Amino acid sequence: MRVTRGVKITAGAALLALAVAACGGGGGSDNSGSGSAAQPVRIEIAEPQNDLIPGNTGETSGAEVLNALFIGLVDYDDQKKPVNRIAESIDSTDQTTWTIKLKDGYTWHDGTPVTAQNFVDSWNYTAFGPNQQQSNYFFSVFKGYDAMNPQDPDGEEGPKKAPEPTATTLSGLKAVDDKTISVELTHPYSGFPTMLGYTAFYPLPKAAFESEGKMKADYGSNPIGDGPFKMSKPYKRGTDQTVEMARFDGFKEGKAKVDALQYKIYTDLNTAYNDLRAGNLDIMDQLPPEQIGGAKAEFGDRYIEQPSSGIGWLGFNIKSGDTYAKSRELRTAISMSIDRATITDKVFSGTRVPADDNISPVVAGYRKGACGEACTFDPAKAKSLWESNGGKGVKSIDLSYNADGAHKEWMEAVANNIRTNLQVEVNVKPYEKFADILNDLGDGKVKGAFRMAWIMDYPSPENYLRPIFGTGGSSNYVQYSNKEFDELLNKGDSAASLDEGVQFYQQADDLALKEMAYVPIYFYTTNGAFSANVKNVKIDPFERIDVFHVERA
Amino acid sequence: MGRYVIRRLLQAIPVLVGTTFLLFATVYALPGDPIAALGGDRRLDPQLVSRMREQFHLNDPLLVQYWYYLRDIVSGDFGTTFRGVPVSSLFQGKFQVTFQLSVTALVFEAVIGVGLGLWAALRRGRWQDQAVLAVTLLLVSIPTLVSGFVLQLVLGVKLKQNTGIDFFPVAGIQNGMRSYLVPGLVLAGLSIAYLTRLTRTSLMETLRADYIRTAVAKGMSRRRVLGRHALRNSLIPLITYLGADLGTLMGGAIITETIFNLPGIGQQLFQSVYLRENAVVVGIVTVLVLVYILANLIVDLLYAVLDPRIRYE
């Protein structure tokens, strides 16, 4: 049995290939996992969708990165109430005209002080329609927004183009002096200070602009911020797998506990989770649902579980839909036939909790059990309510959803619940993409039930009501329109303070809950975990990691 | 020879123009509004959507859009994605990552696949041959998703947790060549099986040829018979397979790249088709078509090296 030459050659080549592979360790990083001082704290994100510009960042990964680079006028405490950061005070006598005073001592990473003009420049840039900033709509409460965003006379489909804007700045926004901003809104709004903690309201430095109102092309890849960390090298979106940051020592509120951060971009949560287990990653603020059980056991007190701001509904087309969609009693019967507890437990492995209000538990103003009997699983009652209101005449129920999110399993589970408990045929209708279903909803083509979700923009009950139930609201796909409801929202808005406004919001919420146009199904939870290299990891209601207080273990 | 190569390259031009148009039309025909999809779970302001549609000529008919695209290409502008990233910068490094991954996989294929095949052919009918058959069947039947995650867990996570050996990275490309070992092996899995069977068959067929019998009859040593006559002749189908496989690996490593978080072209292509980023899809596939054409040309030229009877005039 002599070894033939061919085999010898190939065996030699194999060894050679392995040897080459083994010594080619170019650009290798220290993966010892011991948390040495040279190693940054590594945080998992998905790829930010847009350049790192506050007004154009509407998704969690981009917001996570900007949260380390920037701070705004306010932040939120454990009660989700706004607390001042750069703002010294935010005052108003009539809730329409606001005066914002700034603190001294905050500086940009390039050393220049943060001034009132920086906020004005940033907000004007985002509010100007032609700049195509995703968070543009936040500024619609400002006076002068309409002149910067003229409406297309015959809709987006029509041949006519929208007229050119007649203004490049918000008429209701002025920097009175270096430390004072005056704001005029289109209507009284007590929740205004609460809005100001959102990413879209960060300031921008003079260095971001080439000329008046024109941003430098490369600012979004290497932003100069005013937060506890600064960019240590430009981030090339689409090519780079990491965003690298170093501590900014000139930060007024003190030094962050760690000297470097590295945001690692992953396309698959399972991959990131394996890296976390192997010690090549330090913090994840969302885990793959199928790994939750294992994570609890493996990470112990380094596993984080807390409520998050998201809510999932089942919506009905109550104006032009099928018979069951138009009847409040039949909608309530459908709601009562859904076993929320089993679905959140079995389908979502506990990453969701049954919903009992339209307002998320993370917001001041949430009431446990606000929805009452209508959101409680009771198959017997559901069936009698269904049959006493003509449910027997319903041929079939449609449930539409978008298949590009992980919705198939729970929609099938809901369909089974309804089928079994109401003895009616249920068809599940997947749409390929979320955008497709939104188009059909906008055109009123969805006649039955559909799934919808909402993640808050800022922690106010109003943010869970106006866009969803308000007349003409941006996500009001159920066509709900109720004068009394709108008036209650306006009362809440013009209350002297947020706390006084809450009761009006809750009354409005009760109206919406009684209507059952959107049926609350579940609240989201945040599930995270961190490695043994770090400690003191906190996640805020926006699902952002508090990087200022993270320490090396 | 030189003239032959030039003729082959010239033939590639109409192929490329044809593919770009076909692709453009295919992506154009996909349902849904790519701009509206940019908002994710939020509905974008209609004003913003109509402005962006205008900017990317999305309201124009197919031929007009294609014309704009070609016009920009000729002036050296490959366009930007809907999210404002220049398409040319998307390619930086991504082709390199995928190329490194594909070449690693090809090396594994050539070494393991050809090695196992030769061994099986020389021991045909014995237990070694049966064992190789069993291994190849196993390789064919395990999907990449399974082998990828299992190897990642065993070699990347468990090995380090239990023994402290930190040789195989879990994911990413920060560890140079080491990063490509496990993904390369996973990617090569299926092709290793094919190559093994192909090598075995090809070599056994050659060994039955007349000239081999003649060589043995005139007393040539077994080693020379195998090395000089048999092996060289049975390499032709293998080279063909490897050449075609390079193109397949370059465009089809989507799952492997996702599992091991390698920022390569497969992943990019998948996302771009999903987001209907016409400019990116057409750009990537054009390069892939070029890779195919070049790989085929190199394979054809290698035939001439292996078999003196083949001449290109």
XYZ file of all heavy atoms in Angstrom, chain A residues 198 239 248 258 272 309 336 395 431 462 465 476 486 492 499 524:
134
model
N -36.066 63.507 21.986
C -35.955 62.597 20.852
C -34.748 62.945 19.973
O -34.313 64.104 19.910
C -37.260 62.652 20.036
C -37.325 61.590 18.975
C -37.332 60.247 19.326
C -37.362 61.917 17.631
C -37.365 59.266 18.356
C -37.403 60.939 16.657
C -37.406 59.611 17.032
O -37.434 58.642 16.066
N -19.652 49.770 4.100
C -18.414 49.001 4.031
C -17.908 48.607 5.417
O -17.527 47.474 5.624
C -17.292 49.783 3.324
O -17.722 51.121 3.151
C -16.945 49.197 2.008
N -14.917 61.430 25.181
C -14.694 62.870 25.023
C -14.448 63.442 26.416
O -15.355 63.492 27.240
C -15.922 63.501 24.360
C -15.890 65.008 24.316
C -14.803 65.691 23.802
C -16.964 65.745 24.800
C -14.774 67.082 23.761
C -16.951 67.131 24.767
C -15.850 67.801 24.252
N -15.792 54.281 30.595
C -14.886 53.530 29.720
C -14.333 54.468 28.654
O -14.962 55.464 28.304
C -15.582 52.319 29.041
C -15.911 51.263 30.062
C -16.815 52.749 28.284
N -24.600 37.185 16.334
C -24.159 38.106 17.372
C -24.219 37.424 18.735
O -23.312 37.582 19.566
C -25.040 39.351 17.368
N -41.246 49.998 24.639
C -42.327 50.934 24.325
C -43.262 50.446 23.225
O -44.244 51.093 22.921
C -41.716 52.262 23.892
O -41.187 52.125 22.591
N -62.123 39.105 22.500
C -62.249 38.238 23.668
C -61.960 36.782 23.340
O -61.739 35.975 24.235
C -63.654 38.370 24.265
C -63.859 39.708 24.962
S -65.583 40.057 25.286
C -65.860 39.056 26.727
N -69.458 35.111 6.786
C -68.920 33.952 6.055
C -67.496 33.636 6.491
O -67.169 32.519 6.837
C -68.973 34.232 4.552
C -70.279 33.729 3.922
C -70.052 33.068 2.578
C -70.098 34.063 1.445
N -71.376 34.793 1.348
N -48.913 39.718 3.165
C -48.395 40.645 2.152
C -46.882 40.478 2.147
O -46.291 40.184 3.181
C -48.708 42.090 2.535
C -50.090 42.549 2.155
C -51.206 42.118 2.869
C -50.278 43.432 1.110
C -52.466 42.550 2.535
C -51.541 43.870 0.777
C -52.633 43.434 1.492
O -53.886 43.882 1.158
N -49.981 60.955 24.636
C -50.485 61.562 23.403
C -49.890 60.888 22.170
O -50.552 60.737 21.151
C -50.150 63.065 23.433
C -50.562 63.851 22.223
C -49.464 63.972 21.182
O -48.276 63.693 21.502
O -49.794 64.340 20.048
N -51.827 58.006 21.019
C -53.231 58.232 20.691
C -53.425 59.038 19.412
O -54.100 58.591 18.494
C -53.925 58.947 21.865
C -53.915 58.154 23.185
C -54.431 59.010 24.325
C -54.762 56.890 23.058
N -53.479 56.146 11.393
C -54.893 55.844 11.654
C -55.479 55.073 10.465
O -56.271 55.605 9.703
C -55.672 57.139 11.894
C -57.096 56.882 12.330
O -57.585 55.763 12.221
N -57.767 57.905 12.814
N -60.912 63.792 19.739
C -59.964 64.833 19.312
C -59.951 66.000 20.295
O -58.897 66.563 20.599
C -60.316 65.339 17.910
C -60.116 64.260 16.846
O -59.509 63.219 17.169
O -60.575 64.450 15.714
N -55.921 67.880 26.692
C -54.691 67.378 27.304
C -53.498 68.196 26.859
O -52.625 68.534 27.657
N -48.564 66.482 33.671
C -49.314 65.709 34.677
C -50.805 66.018 34.632
O -51.640 65.131 34.772
C -48.773 66.005 36.078
C -47.390 65.393 36.255
O -47.027 64.563 35.403
O -46.693 65.749 37.220
N -44.373 44.835 23.723
C -43.032 44.290 23.513
C -42.240 44.338 24.826
O -42.516 45.161 25.683
C -42.267 45.116 22.477
C -42.759 44.989 21.058
C -43.972 45.523 20.663
C -41.981 44.342 20.096
C -44.420 45.417 19.360
C -42.422 44.236 18.785
C -43.638 44.782 18.421
O -44.066 44.674 17.125
